[in-house]
Amino acid sequence: MTSALTFDPIRLPPECQALREEVRDFIAREIDAGTFDPLTSMREDAANYEFTRRVGAKGWIGMTWPKKYGGHERSQLERFVVTEEFRVANAPTRLHFVADRQSGPTILKYGSEEMKQDILPRICRGEVCFAIGMSEPGSGSDLFAAKTKATKTDRGWLINGTKIWTSNAHHSDYLIGLFRTSPPTKENRRHGLTNFLVDLKVPGITINPIYQITGQHDFNEVVFQDALMPDDYVLGEIDGAWKQATSELAYERSGPERFLETFYVLIELIRAVGPEPDLRAAEGLGRLIAQLHTLRRMSVSVAGMLQAGKEPVVEGSIVKDLGTIWEQRLPARVRELSAFVEPEATNRPSFEEQLAYATTVAPKLTIQGGTTEVLRGIIARGLGLR
Ligand SMILES: Cc1cc2nc3c(=O)[nH]c(=O)nc-3n(C[C@H](O)[C@H](O)[C@H](O)COP(=O)(O)OP(=O)(O)OC[C@H]3O[C@@H](n4cnc5c(N)ncnc54)[C@H](O)[C@@H]3O)c2cc1C
């Protein structure tokens, strides 16, 4: 039997437009002040502590969280607008983005009251950075094969093992990690894993860089050797982390960051073809813009469903699958279409550099946050086809 798939036809409400203008104005002032250059910032290790604090001061981190934890009780749709504008401008959000998108919501849902009061306001002020500790050398897509162990002792939990591909761990204060607390059972191989908050500053944690094909240091290997975490750093049910994962996936997978990572090359192409593109460029551009518009409508729809308290896991996975394939193919498509443009119109060095960079970034887009194949498995299961 198949299940229904729903994309509610949601439009951004009028208050979102005022917010969009405010965000654009903020970004323009930051660019004028030399905080970042949208043409080059994606090629830099854009960890900007001051910028993140200014974003926090504007109330744009933890926007949807309760005021009593430093949040602003705004809607998922408003958060969508802020994310979208920052992404389009290539703003340096790496220090707060993960905490805002998923670590904070996880703590809000599963953290102790003391943890919420301590950490969430600091995230909202842009003072702490988070990483995600799921993948291991022997378990990426298959998270339930995780081996890094958390062992209960009189003093707390001792962590031993290795996480890998840990984005931003070198900038982070904390990580939310998935650790083995018991062996899997015969009946349920997903049993035995627990989510923990990890303080990355305690002894026993080594963070080793891994360099991307672009030469950038984005992610790391994180080695734990008897790193001690307090008892109340457990997030949710001991051995039952598998029950907690699903709703978070819709947050992680459906946002505008899942189709806008190479967007800048499309903007460059539009600049290059000018107001009167030839027929072939116009056809190509029209197709790309129509696809982008559709993806955006779908992503807004998921944001609206999250706002309504739904758990659109399948819909979020579809946005991530279609979105990352679109942004992955974009650099090659832009290169083809730019072949019809006068060379001087493309401001060649910048255009070529951006295209070259986007081309090297493209392969990772369909891997980070869940691979295409794995997403399709989730979609098939969600539709009752598997
Ligand atoms: C840029 C980037 C940033 C990342 N950041 C983080 C991070 O911050 N924290 C973190 O924990 N991880 C992070 N990751 C890791 C990422 O989530 C994993 O790489 C990903 O889940 C795939 O795991 P893997 O590399 O072990 O590949 P594998 O799981 O070994 O997969 C290899 C291939 O097999 C396919 N495959 C695997 N299982 C199935 C299946 N059941 N059905 C069909 N095909 C399957 C996959 O699609 C893939 O093509 C990041 C990865 C990238 C590229």
Side-chain angles (χ1 to χ4, degrees), residues 132 134-135 140-141 165-167 212 219 364 367-368 371 373:
I132 305 165
M134 291 193 178
S135 306
S141 306
W165 318 126
T166 324
S167 302
Q212 300 267 19
F219 47 29
K364 70 158 187 155
I367 302 172
Q368 60 190 11
T371 67
E373 293 77 11

Side-chain angles (χ1 to χ4, degrees), residues 188-210:
N188 183 3
R189 67 177 290 270
R190 300 185 297 174
H191 171 88
L193 292 165
T194 306
N195 254 329
F196 283 80
L197 174 72
V198 171
D199 180 350
L200 286 170
K201 308 293 182 208
V202 303
I205 300 178
T206 311
I207 298 172
N208 301 314
I210 302 175

Side-chain angles (χ1 to χ4, degrees), residues 33-248:
T35 306
F36 69 100
D37 176 349
L39 287 180
T40 58
S41 57
M42 65 281 182
R43 300 202 292 270
E44 292 153 7
D45 181 10
N48 189 321
Y49 293 86
E50 291 310 314
F51 177 78
T52 277
R53 280 173 196 244
R54 287 196 290 276
V55 175
K58 290 296 289 180
W60 294 335
I61 308 177
M63 285 177 80
T64 62
W65 308 349
K67 287 186 179 166
K68 68 172 175 170
Y69 300 125
H72 302 278
E73 298 182 7
R74 298 184 80 164
S75 72
Q76 291 291 343
L77 296 174
E78 289 174 297
R79 183 181 175 275
F80 180 97
V81 167
V82 174
T83 308
E84 183 173 53
E85 290 299 327
F86 279 166
R87 184 70 262 173
V88 164
N90 291 322
T93 57
R94 73 159 60 198
L95 290 178
H96 61 264
F97 192 68
V98 164
D100 178 60
R101 182 180 67 186
Q102 63 198 88
S103 320
T106 301
I107 291 173
L108 200 54
K109 203 160 177 188
Y110 300 109
S112 66
E113 187 55 32
E114 199 185 335
M115 188 193 292
K116 287 186 218 177
Q117 290 196 12
D118 172 31
I119 292 182
L120 295 177
R122 290 195 281 141
I123 295 178
C124 294
R125 291 196 298 269
E127 292 171 3
V128 282
C129 177
F130 270 75
I132 305 165
M134 291 193 178
S135 306
E136 296 187 9
S139 74
S141 306
D142 185 12
L143 287 176
F144 302 110
K147 288 198 173 78
T148 298
K149 248 179 149 177
T151 311
K152 182 86 184 78
T153 71
D154 295 344
R155 296 175 299 143
W157 294 84
L158 274 184
I159 312 219
N160 281 285
T162 302
K163 293 287 176 183
I164 199 165
W165 318 126
T166 324
S167 302
N168 287 324
H170 55 309
H171 296 303
S172 295
D173 304 280
Y174 296 102
L175 163 151
I176 291 186
L178 187 66
F179 301 113
R180 182 149 299 285
T181 39
S182 299
T185 59
K186 245 192 198 153
E187 302 72 42
N188 183 3
R189 67 177 290 270
R190 300 185 297 174
H191 171 88
L193 292 165
T194 306
N195 254 329
F196 283 80
L197 174 72
V198 171
D199 180 350
L200 286 170
K201 308 293 182 208
V202 303
I205 300 178
T206 311
I207 298 172
N208 301 314
I210 302 175
Y211 292 92
Q212 300 267 19
I213 189 175
T214 57
Q216 278 183 323
H217 176 195
D218 285 338
F219 47 29
N220 305 273
E221 175 195 64
V222 182
V223 183
F224 298 87
Q225 288 166 306
D226 283 340
L228 185 67
M229 296 302 141
D231 285 339
D232 60 2
Y233 273 27
V234 170
L235 290 167
E237 194 179 321
I238 293 175
D239 293 337
W242 60 276
K243 296 180 200 162
Q244 297 168 203
T246 50
S247 57
E248 282 150 43

